[in-house]
Amino acid sequence: AQSVTQPDIHITVSEGASLELRCNYSYGATPYLFWYVQSPGQGLQLLLKYFSGDTLVQGIKGFEAEFKRSQSSFNLRKPSVHWSDAAEYFCAVILVNSGGSNYKLTFGKGTLLTVNP
Amino acid sequence: DGGITQSPKYLFRKEGQNVTLSCEQNLNHDAMYWYRQDPGQGLRLIYYSQIVNDFQKGDIAEGYSVSREKKESFPLTVTSAQKNPTAFYLCASNPTQGYTEAFFGQGTRLTVV
């Protein structure tokens, strides 16, 4: 079955430490890949996206992610975490059908990030 | 400003009543989605629509209904058949063509008492 997996439910890091959030997907072809962030009680904000080309993509707020086809992964990284980064992070994919249409945006279960001072 | 508007932000209903959540977008997107969010469950797809007058069930459609009579609007009805309706509901939209992400509304928190 097609799926998106975020293995870490909750991660705690100290402010200033580096961060890596994991995401694995299971699809027959390369999907469009996204990372979103959500503050409590709010909608989702896009951090970055990957469609094709350079496998290392830069996003907002100093985040980056690397697409690794061999590992079916799209891990999110940040070199130095700020207290304001505490939030829930979601990896997502959009399938593209043979006709080139996007459909069925699917999310992982999310990783809650806590930042210690 | 272009965007997605969900209303109301908070909604309270008595058990056994149907309730309709509004989602409107002025982004000219063809595709729209409804998700349910519960703690630890991520976002689960309820229904999605890629074109007016057509929609498909997602992973947890039971107890919900939708309509797509206009491109801009994709209302979700939570029926009395939905056993655990209390949740945070998110609406999203995106074009069906091209390289672009989905845009989200701010959500509606439904509490059934």
Side-chain angles (χ1 to χ4, degrees):
Chain A
Q2 299 153 342
S3 65
V4 179
T5 303
Q6 292 181 245
D8 304 305
I9 296 172
H10 187 191
I11 284 182
T12 300
V13 300
S14 298
E15 190 168 17
S18 63
L19 172 70
E20 182 170 31
L21 303 182
R22 296 182 290 165
C23 173
N24 294 96
Y25 66 92
S26 173
Y27 289 102
T30 301
Y32 296 164
L33 296 157
F34 308 85
W35 274 99
Y36 285 85
V37 61
Q38 184 185 35
S39 298
Q42 300 297 314
L44 273 68
Q45 181 184 22
L46 181 73
L47 286 175
L48 46 75
K49 58 190 176 186
Y50 173 78
F51 296 122
S52 66
D54 193 349
T55 56
L56 184 63
V57 294
Q58 303 296 320
I60 63 171
K61 304 184 181 186
F63 285 93
E64 66 178 26
E66 185 171 13
F67 170 63
K68 292 185 177 180
R69 185 188 304 274
S70 62
Q71 299 177 19
S72 296
S73 69
F74 188 57
N75 294 348
L76 181 71
R77 301 195 295 247
K78 187 169 185 178
S80 177
V81 170
H82 188 262
W83 64 266
S84 61
D85 293 324
E88 191 155 21
Y89 292 79
F90 293 94
C91 181
V93 300
I94 287 182
L95 294 182
V96 180
N97 64 22
S98 57
S101 294
N102 305 324
Y103 74 104
K104 200 167 183 183
L105 175 61
T106 303
F107 286 82
K109 292 193 174 183
T111 298
L112 180 64
L113 175 64
T114 298
V115 180
N116 287 336
Chain B
D1 288 337
I4 301 179
T5 302
Q6 290 186 242
S7 61
K9 188 169 178 63
Y10 298 97
L11 190 53
F12 295 88
R13 280 292 182 270
K14 290 185 179 179
E15 193 170 342
Q17 290 182 334
N18 290 357
V19 60
T20 298
L21 282 59
S22 171
C23 179
E24 303 277 334
Q25 55 99 359
N26 60 5
L27 299 166
N28 200 33
H29 288 167
D30 290 309
M32 297 187 74
Y33 308 80
W34 273 107
Y35 294 89
R36 170 181 172 139
Q37 187 175 22
D38 299 282
Q41 295 293 318
L43 279 73
R44 293 182 290 170
L45 183 62
I46 305 172
Y47 270 97
Y48 63 104
S49 167
Q50 292 184 278
I51 195 168
V52 174
N53 293 323
D54 188 40
F55 47 83
Q56 288 77 41
K57 292 182 179 180
D59 301 315
I60 57 164
E62 185 176 349
Y64 299 97
S65 66
V66 294
S67 63
R68 188 83 187 277
E69 297 176 0
K70 298 186 300 181
K71 188 175 185 178
E72 301 81 17
S73 178
F74 192 41
L76 173 74
T77 297
V78 184
T79 75
S80 57
Q82 169 49 234
K83 291 182 171 52
N84 296 297
T86 295
F88 189 56
Y89 291 87
L90 283 162
C91 179
S93 73
N94 71 331
T96 52
Q97 300 290 336
Y99 304 116
T100 186
E101 68 275 18
F103 294 80
F104 282 82
Q106 290 300 298
T108 293
R109 181 162 299 280
L110 172 64
T111 302
V112 176
V113 296

